[in-house]
Amino acid sequence: MTSPAITPELIEQHVTPEEYGKIIEILGREPNFTELGIFSVMWSEHCSYKSSRVHLRRLPTAGERVIVPPGENAGVVDIGDDWCVAFKVESHNHPSFIEPFQGAATGVGGILRDVFTMGARPIAAMNSLRFGPLAPNEKGATTRKIANRNKSILKGVVEGIGFYGNCFGVPTVGGEVVFDEAYNLNPLVNAFALGLVRKDQIFFGKASGIGNPVLYVGAKTGRDGIHGATMASAEFDDEALEKRPTVQVGDPFLEKLLLEACLEAMRSGAIEGIQDMGAAGLTSSSVEMADRAGTGLELDLTLVPQRETGMTAYEMLLSESQERMLIVAKAGRERELVEIFNKWDLDAVVIGKVVEGNRLKVIHHGELMADLPVDKLTDEAPRYERPMEAPAYASVGRDERAAKWKARAQEARHGERDLLQVLETLLSSPDICSKHWVYEQYDHMVRTNTAILPGADAAVVRVKETRRAISMCLDGNGLYSAVDPLEGAKLTVSEAARNNVCVGATPIAVTNCLNFASPERPKIMWAFSQTIDGMKAACETFDTPVISGNVSFYNETDGDGVLPTPTIGMVGLLEDVRKLVTQGFKKKGDVIALLGTTNDDLSVSEYSQAVLGISTNELIEIGSVPALDLTLEKTVQETCLKLADEMLIASAHDCSDGGLAIAIAECCFSSLNNAPDGAALELSSNGLDPEAVLFSESPSRIVISFSPENADSVASVAEEMGCPFEVIGKVEGDDLKISIDGSEVLNAPVAALEMKWKHALESLLEA
């Protein structure tokens, strides 16, 4: 097939005119069509991080537990006794908008391959999902048509995640689901996976050893996913849905075979290096493996297993067909690997070899289709220090914002509010209500390692044959980051650490997925840079290095972008699973106490949005994120960990979205406990309005419960640690009763509250 002529229009479809000039300078000639395709994907935002690399290098990536820092398929940390965990989170936002089921399904498949490429067997998956509202909003941008589209995307994404994870056989143990108008037609689908590996059995994506053969293994190559990486590096417009051919199609059953075959091949000792064919497919896997090893590669595409006829070199190199790996075998042992993969009914073909130098040479039907310098495709990829500009609202002081918000809140309140009605509204709000409709579609018990059911502060999986357990959570708050990206990032990292602490685990490392709109807009790049600085400060405070991650730019449709949304995947270590703590109250008569202090942090909150009806755009202009003291946060977390380690507490629950009243209600619910428990609280106002006492979202707070006989010991530990501590009530009866300064302000049956909380999401979906 004749390659098309290189025209200005064709160049514009692949790279910018300036980048094309740089390609000519590098090669000393015009590239051919295949070479232009290779440069376009390797220099795409998705593969080269050309707008973010200058900022990402500020993040802390080293630590005593870090075995594999960023740069490989997944990061790896040591958990003791020669065991390690490999984990990573990645986005599949663009494909999930175009084709929700397959976009989300292949996102799960890709992140699982990233983990088992390291030699780790996946033992847990999670996801962080964000969608537009499910109900139309007359005052906002969500029409009935858009709300229905949001429902369709949600249902497709959840079904795709469940299909792939359940068929593959990995438990989906946790995550989050959030709704906001900023995600109308801009869903965020961030997939996380974690695997277990022995320290001496970690593999790397390096094309080492001159003369070593290169094997293509796994599924056959088709035309699906061509230009998937570049599609994910551009904003969408009215023709977005016409990009369906760029969305990959996954086969979880084949991926399961690929997992077992890869692990068996790794145990054989015949593998020198291995890499998942993810974004940019055969191109990125071959180039990145050669670059890490400082070698060159020669590939013959004629030998690549294909499921479609007449495929060109361009199509094969850029295809993102799923369930494929590139392996560098040890010389003379390629037949051994072929036999292993054939035993698992998988293709395994030698398609090339490692060579001296740094050239990638691609042959197809005897013709040299590409001859490119490897380092120029990676190290010489453009690095843009894009212009940054703070938005005008960022210069408005906290006091001025507080005054504006109070005036707006007074206008929205229309007098005194029924606090029980407020509580019920919050429990029914999409962001706070139970997500059991989502996670019950996932198998969360397969492999029988799951120690806590979904819905907890953090998921926990056991490490079999040891007493250890691994905790993990995904956390993000786009609204916080939109109002103040620096403090928003600190708050997000802090909450992720706190969620791990609430199950009794010490936070050890972070992976992140940074979801933003176009980096070509100075205000977006300012928010991105601020986010990096906030993450850096918080990760250094908690000693949680960033070991892997992903940047997803261009999350916008027709010029409307998502909120700056850093998703933090935090992993913790529980040395003794017998010291695991859960959030549900355990027995009548237990004492309820609060670690930390409640302040007037109502403005940027679920209360503002769900109860007062203040929009996201308004809050960005007039709201103030909760004030965070990282030193206090660290103290509260260390106190909770000490109490858990000494087995003094029966429960612990992070106090965040919806405030103290929501946290207490969730501790009472039967779905998070063996039976519904009531609680009687005696709170002090400390000069705050009742709404602030109950629904303020002040950080650095954990609700704990414990037996009365442990009361003195718990108080003593809190005093010793210098942690704010207050007994606020006890577990009793079947009702939630709350008094403030001696006056009862709320009294309701827990069972009735739980019904509203549990069925709100289904009601929205059915409406």
Side-chain angles (χ1 to χ4, degrees):
M1 185 181 293
T2 306
S3 295
I6 305 297
T7 64
E9 293 76 21
L10 194 67
I11 292 168
E12 191 175 338
Q13 292 171 17
H14 288 76
V15 294
T16 67
E18 294 77 17
E19 289 169 352
Y20 188 71
K22 185 175 180 179
I23 292 170
I24 293 176
E25 182 183 327
I26 287 170
L27 297 180
R29 58 176 172 82
E30 297 261 353
N32 62 36
F33 180 56
T34 301
E35 292 172 332
L36 179 60
I38 292 172
F39 269 106
S40 76
V41 292
M42 291 307 300
W43 284 10
S44 69
E45 194 72 61
H46 194 74
C47 290
S48 74
Y49 292 80
K50 57 190 177 186
S51 298
S52 58
R53 287 161 83 183
V54 295
H55 300 286
L56 293 173
R57 64 190 180 195
R58 301 201 296 272
L59 291 173
T61 58
E64 61 180 35
R65 290 187 181 274
V66 177
I67 304 297
V68 180
E72 275 288 343
N73 293 287
V76 181
V77 292
D78 191 335
I79 60 169
D81 290 339
D82 292 326
W83 281 107
C84 299
V85 288
F87 60 92
K88 188 181 184 182
V89 62
E90 276 207 341
S91 62
H92 235 226
N93 305 334
H94 291 72
S96 297
F97 167 59
I98 297 171
E99 179 52 69
F101 180 93
Q102 289 294 349
T106 52
V108 174
I111 199 66
L112 290 170
R113 286 194 303 281
D114 281 339
V115 166
F116 71 74
T117 298
M118 303 301 298
R121 179 177 289 278
I123 62 170
M126 299 189 296
N127 49 76
S128 172
L129 310 177
R130 282 173 169 74
F131 306 98
L134 304 180
N137 180 0
E138 296 176 2
K139 297 180 181 177
T142 309
T143 63
R144 184 167 298 281
K145 181 179 179 181
I146 290 176
N148 287 336
R149 174 66 177 154
N150 292 336
K151 289 182 185 179
S152 177
I153 294 172
L154 166 63
K155 291 175 180 177
V157 164
V158 171
E159 188 180 353
I161 290 169
F163 165 74
Y164 207 101
N166 296 353
C167 294
F168 178 83
V170 63
T172 302
V173 294
E176 60 173 359
V177 185
V178 176
F179 301 89
D180 192 281
E181 285 201 332
Y183 307 109
N184 274 339
L185 309 184
N186 290 308
L188 299 185
V189 178
N190 296 172
F192 168 100
L194 176 143
L196 200 58
V197 61
R198 300 294 296 187
K199 195 172 184 178
D200 60 353
Q201 295 175 6
I202 299 169
F203 279 78
F204 298 90
K206 291 184 178 180
S208 304
I210 305 303
N212 278 341
V214 177
L215 279 78
Y216 170 114
V217 305
K220 289 179 169 59
T221 293
R223 289 187 170 90
D224 54 322
I226 292 173
H227 270 301
T230 45
M231 175 267 291
S233 303
E235 61 186 270
F236 284 152
D237 51 27
D238 290 337
E239 285 75 46
L241 295 182
E242 295 177 13
K243 298 183 180 182
R244 274 201 177 92
T246 62
V247 177
Q248 312 91 325
V249 177
D251 182 345
F253 297 107
L254 196 150
E255 175 130 334
K256 174 64 172 174
L257 297 177
L258 185 62
L259 162 71
E260 299 300 343
C262 284
L263 293 182
E264 182 177 340
M266 290 167 173
R267 290 193 298 270
S268 75
I271 292 180
E272 187 69 35
I274 181 169
Q275 173 101 348
D276 163 40
M277 290 193 216
L282 183 55
T283 295
S284 65
S285 56
S286 56
V287 169
E288 289 171 4
M289 289 184 79
D291 181 59
R292 292 188 191 114
T295 59
L297 287 180
E298 289 183 2
L299 304 178
D300 186 350
L301 300 184
T302 318
L303 304 172
V304 169
Q306 300 160 56
R307 68 169 185 261
E308 299 186 46
T309 58
M311 290 189 72
T312 64
Y314 178 97
E315 290 172 327
M316 280 189 276
L317 286 167
L318 271 60
S319 166
E320 293 185 9
S321 294
Q322 295 292 284
E323 293 87 40
R324 302 179 301 160
M325 293 279 189
L326 197 65
I327 291 177
V328 173
K330 293 179 179 176
R333 302 191 67 179
E334 54 268 39
R335 178 173 292 277
E336 188 179 342
L337 291 177
V338 169
E339 289 175 353
I340 289 172
F341 283 91
N342 287 346
K343 184 186 81 172
W344 290 95
D345 291 329
L346 295 169
D347 284 308
V349 181
V350 176
I351 63 166
K353 62 182 178 180
V354 180
V355 296
E356 290 185 352
N358 76 328
R359 308 293 293 190
L360 173 70
K361 295 186 178 182
V362 179
I363 297 165
H364 191 217
H365 295 309
E367 183 180 351
L368 183 64
M369 303 301 296
D371 183 0
L372 302 172
V374 169
D375 58 336
K376 305 301 183 186
L377 293 168
T378 53
D379 298 342
E380 293 296 318
R383 295 190 189 191
Y384 294 130
E385 294 199 30
R386 296 195 184 273
M388 295 187 290
E389 178 190 348
Y393 65 79
S395 62
V396 179
R398 197 173 180 91
D399 290 345
E400 185 179 343
R401 282 174 166 269
K404 287 182 176 180
W405 179 84
K406 283 182 178 176
R408 178 69 179 85
Q410 194 62 37
E411 172 193 323
R413 278 194 184 106
H414 304 300
E416 293 297 317
R417 280 193 174 270
D418 181 336
L419 294 178
L420 174 57
Q421 186 179 41
V422 172
L423 177 62
E424 291 174 340
T425 299
L426 287 172
L427 287 171
S428 303
S429 70
D431 288 350
I432 289 177
C433 72
S434 171
K435 306 305 187 299
H436 76 95
W437 179 89
V438 174
Y439 64 70
E440 284 177 359
Q441 298 185 50
Y442 309 148
D443 187 339
H444 45 264
M445 293 302 294
V446 64
R447 303 193 63 80
T448 66
N449 294 321
T450 308
I452 296 182
L453 298 179
D457 287 312
V460 179
V461 292
R462 302 178 190 88
V463 180
K464 286 183 176 174
E465 300 177 15
T466 76
R467 283 186 176 171
R468 288 186 175 85
I470 306 300
S471 67
M472 64 203 81
C473 67
L474 283 176
D475 279 295
N477 194 314
L479 181 55
Y480 283 179
S481 292
V483 173
D484 188 333
L486 179 74
E487 293 302 314
K490 292 179 187 177
L491 285 159
T492 300
V493 174
S494 297
E495 181 173 357
R498 199 182 320 128
N499 282 332
N500 282 274
V501 164
C502 282
V503 298
T506 302
I508 58 174
V510 160
T511 181
N512 61 50
C513 197
L514 307 178
N515 308 274
F516 286 77
S518 171
E520 297 167 38
R521 288 159 46 187
K523 291 172 185 175
I524 300 300
M525 280 314 300
W526 172 81
F528 185 85
S529 179
Q530 291 279 297
T531 296
I532 295 298
D533 290 340
M535 284 180 57
K536 177 179 186 292
C539 287
E540 287 175 346
T541 297
F542 304 117
D543 193 20
T544 51
V546 179
I547 65 161
S548 60
N550 170 239
V551 176
S552 176
F553 278 131
Y554 295 102
N555 291 289
E556 54 183 81
T557 301
D558 292 328
D560 291 328
V562 299
L563 303 176
T565 311
T567 301
I568 302 298
M570 181 84 77
V571 170
L573 177 62
L574 195 61
E575 294 283 358
D576 188 341
V577 73
R578 295 174 300 178
K579 296 181 178 180
L580 175 66
V581 180
T582 56
Q583 71 188 59
F585 293 144
K586 300 302 182 293
K587 67 178 190 296
K588 301 283 196 280
D590 276 359
V591 178
I592 303 170
L594 180 66
L595 301 178
T597 304
T598 300
N599 298 308
D600 191 356
D601 291 308
L602 269 182
S603 74
V604 179
S605 68
E606 281 293 321
Y607 173 83
S608 270
Q609 292 192 292
V611 178
L612 300 183
I614 305 177
S615 70
T616 295
N617 288 337
E618 277 188 280
L619 288 177
I620 290 172
E621 297 286 340
I622 66 173
S624 301
V625 300
L628 174 69
D629 179 340
L630 283 171
T631 302
L632 173 62
E633 179 73 53
K634 180 76 168 171
T635 298
V636 169
Q637 292 187 22
E638 288 181 342
T639 302
C640 187
L641 279 176
K642 186 173 178 63
L643 292 170
D645 185 59
E646 296 183 8
M647 302 180 77
L648 291 172
I649 53 177
S651 73
H653 186 24
D654 171 33
C655 188
S656 55
D657 294 346
L660 179 61
I662 294 295
I664 294 292
E666 289 173 342
C667 291
C668 292
F669 291 159
S670 61
S671 51
L672 302 171
N673 198 1
N674 293 325
D677 274 318
L681 301 188
E682 293 282 349
L683 304 176
S684 300
S685 65
N686 296 317
L688 302 177
D689 292 336
E691 286 93 339
V693 174
L694 297 181
F695 309 116
S696 172
E697 295 184 6
S698 302
S700 316
R701 293 182 300 164
I702 298 174
V703 173
I704 59 173
S705 69
F706 46 88
S707 297
E709 55 264 31
N710 289 336
D712 290 343
S713 298
V714 171
S716 177
V717 168
E719 183 178 4
E720 173 194 335
M721 301 293 290
C723 177
F725 169 81
E726 181 184 4
V727 172
I728 59 173
K730 63 180 179 178
V731 181
E732 68 172 33
D734 299 316
D735 299 335
L736 176 58
K737 301 175 183 177
I738 301 178
S739 296
I740 299 178
D741 295 337
S743 299
E744 185 173 273
V745 296
L746 191 153
N747 188 337
V750 167
L753 295 175
E754 183 171 10
M755 288 294 288
K756 291 182 179 294
W757 170 81
K758 190 170 184 178
H759 298 294
L761 185 58
E762 294 101 306
S763 298
L764 277 171
L765 287 168
E766 292 166 3

